[in-house]
């Protein structure tokens, strides 16, 4: 089974966005050496807790600082942008790093509602146009001229980065199937319904200029430590961070485990934490390996994408190292 990485460049409590991006760079180099398959970075706007607002720029930086790991976006929020411009940006990336670039796309706003207005000159993006944008994007990436205007995405080349449609619902699964893209389900966002969505993708997949057979993976919050007890301790900070996101509370960075352990949780908040654990895998290497393999089997995929947010950063590096050892990954 392939094991990959999703990193959201979390800004840990007491740290700066500069440090968060430096940590993402160090993590990319570390997981490249450990033998992980791909490394994706996300797009979030107007937030004080995640530093990755321009993943296409970060991909260029990370690809230049790694050797063999695939590098991509998880993902570009296509309704905000021109399909043609996105295609050209990724044709440049593919030309610089042929065979190593992934183009993950989504249609979420990437932040609070006003982000939509800021990114679209005061208007809301036309999400109804998303299917058309996907079709145009694929054609531009593969050297076609979808509107017969003698316009091509340059630089042209013999290879093209694959499109991965990202989603947390059956709707995105069906779109990926209809357009013949790869499909990635965000289990770390929605812990329910993912297996049905993935099955819908496999059942309805139609081949395209990109690929002839379906290809899927699933991403999940994962925290691994030497013992179950240590992993639970580290996971407490993510528990509190997700709880605060759900409550709409403003926060500056991800809390430390000490801050999480001293927080006065209500009975309702404790129940929400238990519910949110459906989006996580937490434990020792043997426990994590068993649960990740079971998750992949349930989804019918051969790749898991691990998203680890813990405090301090050294524990994040260690978590990926333990996972690599558990799965016997090879550089």
């Amino acid at each position: 089974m392939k094991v990959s990485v999703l990193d959201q460049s979390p800004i840990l409590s007491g740290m700066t966005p500069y440090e968060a991006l430096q940590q993402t760079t160090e993590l990319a180099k570390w997981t490249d050496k450990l033998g992980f398959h791909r490394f994706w970075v996300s797009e979030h706007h107007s937030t004080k807790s995640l530093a990755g607002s321009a993943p296409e720029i970060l991909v260029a930086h990370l690809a230049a600082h790694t050797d063999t790991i695939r590098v991509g976006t998880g993902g570009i929020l296509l309704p905000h942008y021109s399909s043609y411009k996105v295609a050209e940006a990724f044709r440049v990336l593919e030309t610089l790093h042929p065979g190593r670039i992934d183009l993950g796309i989504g249609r979420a706003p990437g932040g609070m509602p006003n982000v939509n207005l800021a990114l679209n000159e005061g208007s809301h993006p036309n999400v109804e146009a998303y299917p058309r944008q996907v079709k145009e994007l694929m054609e531009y990436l593969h050297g076609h001229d979808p509107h017969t205007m003698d316009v091509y995405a340059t630089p042209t080349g013999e290879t093209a980065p694959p499109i991965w449609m990202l989603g947390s619902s059956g709707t995105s699964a069906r779109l990926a199937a209809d357009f013949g893209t790869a499909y990635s389900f965000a289990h770390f966002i929605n812990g329910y319904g993912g297996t049905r969505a993935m099955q819908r993708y496999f059942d309805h997949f139609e081949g395209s200029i990109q690929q002839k057979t379906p290809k899927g993976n699933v991403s999940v919050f994962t925290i691994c430590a030497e013992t179950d007890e240590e992993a639970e301790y580290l996971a407490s900070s993510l528990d509190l961070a997700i709880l605060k996101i759900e409550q709409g509370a403003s926060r500056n960075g991800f809390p430390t485990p000490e801050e999480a352990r001293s927080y006065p949780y209500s009975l309702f908040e404790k129940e929400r934490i238990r519910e949110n654990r459906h989006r996580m895998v937490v434990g020792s290497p043997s426990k994590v390996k068993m649960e990740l393999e079971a998750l992949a089997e349930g989804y019918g995929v051969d790749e898991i994408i691990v998203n680890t947010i813990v405090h301090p950063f050294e524990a994040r590096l260690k978590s990926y190292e333990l996972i690599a050892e558990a799965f016997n990954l090879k550089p």
Side-chain angles (χ1 to χ4, degrees):
M1 187 173 77
K2 294 186 289 290
V3 187
S4 298
V5 180
L6 169 64
D7 193 68
Q8 297 175 290
S9 301
I11 303 171
L12 304 181
S13 178
M15 299 208 172
T16 65
Y18 172 82
E19 290 172 301
L21 292 178
Q22 292 301 308
Q23 289 170 354
T24 291
T25 304
E26 186 175 344
L27 181 63
K29 293 191 288 187
W30 180 233
T31 52
D32 186 23
K33 292 178 181 178
L34 290 173
F36 284 81
H37 181 58
R38 67 179 97 242
F39 192 102
W40 284 356
V41 291
S42 58
E43 178 178 340
H44 292 88
H45 300 284
S46 189
T47 172
K48 296 179 180 180
S49 58
L50 301 171
S53 58
E56 66 280 18
I57 295 176
L58 195 50
V59 164
H61 173 75
L62 297 176
H65 284 78
T66 53
D67 296 318
T68 60
I69 195 170
R70 296 189 65 89
V71 184
T73 53
I76 295 291
L77 304 180
L78 194 57
H80 296 314
Y81 312 113
S82 154
S83 296
Y84 179 65
K85 181 57 181 176
V86 172
E88 288 211 314
F90 278 79
R91 286 244 42 99
V92 170
L93 288 169
E94 180 70 16
T95 303
L96 288 170
H97 307 281
R100 289 186 57 210
I101 303 299
D102 294 327
L103 172 49
I105 60 171
R107 57 178 178 175
M112 299 302 287
N114 284 343
V115 163
N116 280 322
L117 303 179
L119 285 168
N120 293 275
E121 298 184 332
S123 301
H124 288 284
N126 180 14
V127 294
E128 301 292 328
Y130 183 62
R132 172 182 57 77
Q133 285 188 287
V134 175
K135 184 175 184 295
E136 290 176 348
L137 179 61
M138 184 178 291
E139 293 192 19
Y140 279 130
L141 285 171
H142 288 266
H144 297 177
D145 175 17
H147 300 292
T148 61
M149 297 189 302
D150 198 27
V151 172
Y152 299 89
T154 56
T156 59
E158 295 182 358
T159 62
I163 295 173
W164 283 83
M165 192 172 292
L166 314 180
S168 56
S169 70
T171 301
S172 54
R174 185 58 193 262
L175 280 175
D178 289 345
F179 286 103
T181 72
Y183 180 60
S184 181
F185 189 87
H187 190 92
F188 73 99
I189 294 176
N190 180 9
Y192 298 97
T195 56
R196 292 193 299 274
M198 189 63 70
Q199 190 59 54
R200 187 179 189 188
Y201 166 70
F202 285 127
D203 288 345
H204 297 278
F205 179 84
E206 296 182 14
S208 66
I209 53 176
Q210 172 176 297
Q211 61 192 67
K212 301 306 178 186
T213 58
K215 179 185 292 186
N217 63 34
V218 56
S219 53
V220 60
F221 282 128
T222 307
I223 297 171
C224 187
E226 296 282 4
T227 65
D228 290 342
E229 292 75 19
E230 184 184 358
E232 287 291 335
Y233 173 73
L234 293 171
S236 63
S237 62
L238 184 57
D239 288 333
L240 178 58
I242 294 174
L243 185 66
K244 288 302 181 183
I245 291 172
E246 292 180 336
Q247 295 173 345
S250 177
R251 56 190 175 88
N252 292 311
F254 284 82
T256 66
E258 293 79 11
E259 291 170 329
R261 289 299 178 95
S262 63
Y263 182 86
Y265 297 96
S266 67
L267 289 176
F268 173 78
E269 288 173 329
K270 291 179 180 178
E271 181 57 34
R272 284 305 309 160
I273 287 174
R274 282 192 290 271
E275 183 67 17
N276 284 330
R277 282 300 184 95
H278 288 98
R279 299 153 60 182
M280 302 184 201
V281 171
V282 178
S284 63
S286 59
K287 181 175 184 286
V288 165
K289 182 176 186 290
M290 180 180 65
E291 293 191 15
L292 290 180
E293 287 177 336
L295 189 68
E297 183 178 359
Y299 273 84
V301 298
D302 66 353
E303 180 183 3
I304 289 283
I305 299 184
V306 172
N307 181 2
T308 301
I309 301 178
V310 293
H311 202 306
F313 174 62
E314 290 74 20
R316 189 149 126 239
L317 294 176
K318 186 63 175 178
S319 180
Y320 282 105
E321 180 182 0
L322 292 172
I323 292 169
E325 291 174 354
F327 281 93
N328 197 28
L329 301 183
K330 301 296 182 185

